[in-house]
Structures are given as structure tokens and as C-alpha cells.
Amino acid sequence: MQVLLGVIFHFIGGFASGSFYIPFKKVKGWAWETYWIVGGLFSWLIVPPLAAYLTIPGFMDIIAQTNGKILLLTYFFGVLWGIGGLTYGLGVRYLGISLGSTIILGLCSVFGALIPSLYYDFNPVAGKDSLSDMAGAQWGQMVLFGLLVCVIGIVVCGLAGSMKEKDLVASGKADPSNKEYKLGIGLIVSIVSGVLSACFAFGIDAGKDMAQHANEAWKVLNPGQGEFLFQNNVTYVVILWGGLTTNLFWCMLLNARNKTFGDYTDKKAPLVKNYIFSALAGTTWFLQFFFYGMGESKLGNGASGWILHMACIILVANGWGLVFKEWSGVKKKTFGTVVAGIVILILSILIVGYGNSIK
């Protein structure tokens, strides 16, 4: 039952992440940097401490009492992740929700899952699963196999994206769902995003002392009730300060360069709707990690949870790609390829979930 709840929580988080960009499509008359940072203020500055306040009494005291080196390292990974999050928005902008999310999150799942486990092979920590531990246990082998299946699904979806571009070029049609479709620059920013977005997983790990403090305090008040569902909420606050730093700097730079500071007060744009949809996008984005933390409390921290979370996001993003007809105008073979990729990703989720169940 715990494993099933963990999978459900991860899927809800994946749904939130795979869906957050949709409200941005309703924003009119604003430059990308304007609506991105307005949404980001909710994602990284407003909603995280609110969530922590509602779930962890005295969360700021936990942060204040944490070792400075831990806070700095957690914040630093947040800064690196912020670059990944920034380029995520650009990847989706240039490649579409389906292909952009698949490439970015696929790389993110691989790096985020394997690098911490590999690190623990050289620096063992009690309670942390190393790559050797996983390779030597049946549950770990199943999880690693699920990762391999996930990578295969990513490759298939990426192949479908390449086939899509060829189909559209051959037919002389532009991408009906994305007028800014640019494969070259989209691939570059997506690869950068995929690698650096994995730093969020490292940030969670670096700030685990804060989560453990919250978990222990909760257990004292709720003996015999298992692990605290919301323990990671305090860690998110620090990580996302780092993400805000990167994104705020870049968006302000773009506002200045593109002379778009006037967007925030431009009465020619539907300001109220723009702020509401941007806030909705930002809040929806944060919910992915809110539910990620709940999923981890049921499955345990490690490579398997990160893989499962990323696979769920990829699945949902590709589903939205179909809903918004990002694959309209392509050949049946191309459409069949992306559907096959989605099916393979579903299979990877089931395999990882099974691996966790026999741990």
C-alpha cells in the first residue's frame, strides 16, 4: 500500500510538472522573460515558504539552525538547477511541450538518478543506496532495468521528434502548435537543461539534514505513524532561493535588453489575466515537488524515486503534446513512433514501481 501511494503521489507531481506550462499559453502581450519571472516568483519565492509554513511548524528555525556549509551547498545546487529550469522554459518554447520535455527530463532522470548513487560508492553514507548496492540486489536490478527502459522510451520519443521535423519540412508546413519551433537551438538548451536540472536532486540530498530534523520533530508528536509526508518542504525553500537568483538575474537582463520592463504595467495587455495565469503556472510548477516529497516519504529517497518522478512528467508532457496537436500534420509512422515511446515510458514506471515494492 505504501508503494502504491508513493507511485500515486509521484504521478500527481508529474502531472503538475507536465502541465504547468499550459497556463502560460493563455498569457497575451507579454515577452517570455516577463511571464516567466512572474510565474517564477510564485514557484520559487511565494508558494514554497507558504507550503512549509502550513506543514512544518517553525520551519525557519530549522533553516536558521542548520550548518552554514549545508545551507550554502543546498543553495548552490539550487543556483545550478535554476539554470536548468531557465533553459527548460526555452527548450519547451522552441521544441514544444512533448519533445522538449522528453529530452530535458530524460537526461535529468539519468543524471539525477545515477550520479548520487555513484557518489555513495566512493563516500558511503548510512541509509543511502549506492550504485553497487542497487546492482547487487534484486530490487535495485529491477530499478536499474526500469531506468534502461525509460532511456529507451526517451530515445524513441526523440526519434519521433526528428521524424516530425522531416515530415513538416517535406510538406512545407509550419508546426501548428508552436510557431517558434527551432530544432537546433532547442536541442542545445534542452541538453543543458537536462544536465543541470538534475542538480535539484543533489540539492535535496545536500539539504537532507533539514528534512530529517522536520521528520524527527514530527515523529515525536506523532509516534508510530511512519515517515513525515512533508519533510522535504523545508529543503525546497533553500533550493528554490538558488533557482530564483539565477532566473531573476537572467529575466531582468532580458527585460533590459529587450526593453520589456513596460510589460508589467502595459494596459494594452490583459494584465489581470496575465498575472493570474502566470501565478497559476508558477503554483502548478511547485506542486510537482510538493507531491514528489510525499512520494519519497513512501518510497524512500534514492534513484528509484527520481526516475519514477521524471518518467511520470515525461508521460504527462507527451500526453499534453497529443492533446494540443503538436503531432498534427505528421505521417502515421511518426505518430505511431511517439505513441510507442509513451507506452515504453509507462512500462518503465511500472518496472520501477515493482522494483520498489520488493525492496
Side-chain angles (χ1 to χ4, degrees):
M1 186 61 184
Q2 296 299 310
V3 171
L4 178 60
L5 283 175
V7 171
I8 291 173
F9 288 144
H10 276 302
F11 181 80
I12 295 173
F15 185 85
S17 179
S19 306
F20 90 93
Y21 207 86
I22 294 172
F24 280 142
K25 290 179 174 291
K26 298 292 185 179
V27 175
K28 306 296 181 183
W30 276 5
W32 176 85
E33 59 269 19
T34 303
Y35 64 72
W36 183 257
I37 197 59
V38 172
L41 289 174
F42 283 85
S43 299
W44 312 311
L45 184 64
I46 298 173
V47 179
L50 177 61
Y53 173 77
L54 294 174
T55 56
I56 304 175
F59 78 96
M60 285 302 298
D61 293 333
I62 295 176
I63 294 175
Q65 295 167 10
T66 300
N67 182 282
K69 291 182 179 179
I70 293 176
L71 290 177
L72 183 60
L73 187 60
T74 305
Y75 172 82
F76 174 69
F77 280 127
V79 169
L80 293 181
W81 165 82
I83 300 174
L86 180 65
T87 46
Y88 181 96
L90 292 173
V92 171
R93 177 184 177 185
Y94 291 129
L95 296 181
I97 296 174
S98 179
L99 181 58
S101 296
T102 296
I103 294 173
I104 294 168
L105 298 172
L107 288 170
C108 186
S109 67
V110 173
F111 281 92
L114 293 185
I115 290 180
S117 298
L118 183 61
Y119 172 82
Y120 293 128
D121 267 320
F122 298 95
N123 297 276
V125 176
K128 301 292 185 178
D129 297 317
S130 69
L131 197 59
S132 297
D133 292 333
M134 295 177 68
Q138 184 181 0
W139 73 269
Q141 293 168 2
M142 188 62 64
V143 168
L144 291 174
F145 176 63
L147 174 58
L148 176 61
V149 174
C150 181
V151 171
I152 293 172
I154 292 162
V155 170
V156 172
C157 287
L159 175 62
S162 178
M163 295 167 65
K164 170 189 176 182
E165 185 185 39
K166 291 179 181 178
D167 289 350
L168 294 177
V169 170
S171 64
K173 299 178 180 178
D175 184 349
S177 66
N178 186 4
K179 296 179 180 179
E180 296 181 294
Y181 185 81
K182 298 177 183 178
L183 183 63
I185 189 173
L187 286 174
I188 292 172
V189 297
S190 293
I191 290 171
V192 171
S193 177
V195 174
L196 292 182
S197 291
C199 289
F200 201 100
F202 308 157
I204 292 174
D205 200 65
K208 194 58 187 174
D209 280 0
M210 289 180 279
Q212 289 176 342
H213 190 123
N215 192 33
E216 290 166 3
W218 183 84
K219 284 184 173 181
V220 170
L221 297 176
N222 302 273
Q225 295 188 34
E227 302 299 312
F228 183 32
L229 278 176
F230 307 110
Q231 58 184 276
N232 281 328
N233 284 355
V234 62
T235 311
Y236 295 155
V237 173
V238 180
I239 297 175
L240 294 174
W241 283 340
L244 174 64
T245 301
T246 308
N247 283 265
L248 183 62
F249 172 80
W250 180 247
C251 288
M252 293 299 99
L253 189 65
L254 288 181
N255 276 147
R257 189 182 72 180
N258 299 331
K259 299 180 180 179
T260 52
F261 275 115
D263 286 354
Y264 302 105
T265 56
D266 185 2
K267 294 182 179 180
K268 294 180 181 179
L271 289 179
V272 174
K273 288 184 178 179
N274 283 0
Y275 278 108
I276 290 175
F277 282 121
S278 295
L280 179 60
T283 302
T284 302
W285 180 92
F286 174 74
L287 290 177
Q288 68 167 307
F289 287 113
F290 184 83
F291 285 100
Y292 173 84
M294 294 172 67
E296 288 298 83
S297 72
K298 297 298 182 182
L299 297 179
N301 288 291
S304 56
W306 187 253
I307 296 166
L308 184 61
H309 185 70
M310 292 297 112
C312 287
I313 299 174
I314 294 169
L315 173 62
V316 172
N318 276 283
W320 281 121
L322 297 177
V323 171
F324 285 104
K325 299 180 179 180
E326 290 185 350
W327 299 92
S328 62
V330 301
K331 297 178 181 178
K332 289 184 178 180
K333 183 178 180 180
T334 302
F335 185 75
T337 302
V338 72
V339 171
I342 293 173
V343 170
I344 294 172
L345 289 172
I346 294 174
L347 179 61
S348 75
I349 294 173
L350 296 175
I351 293 172
V352 171
Y354 175 73
N356 273 293
S357 70
I358 61 175
K359 184 175 180 180

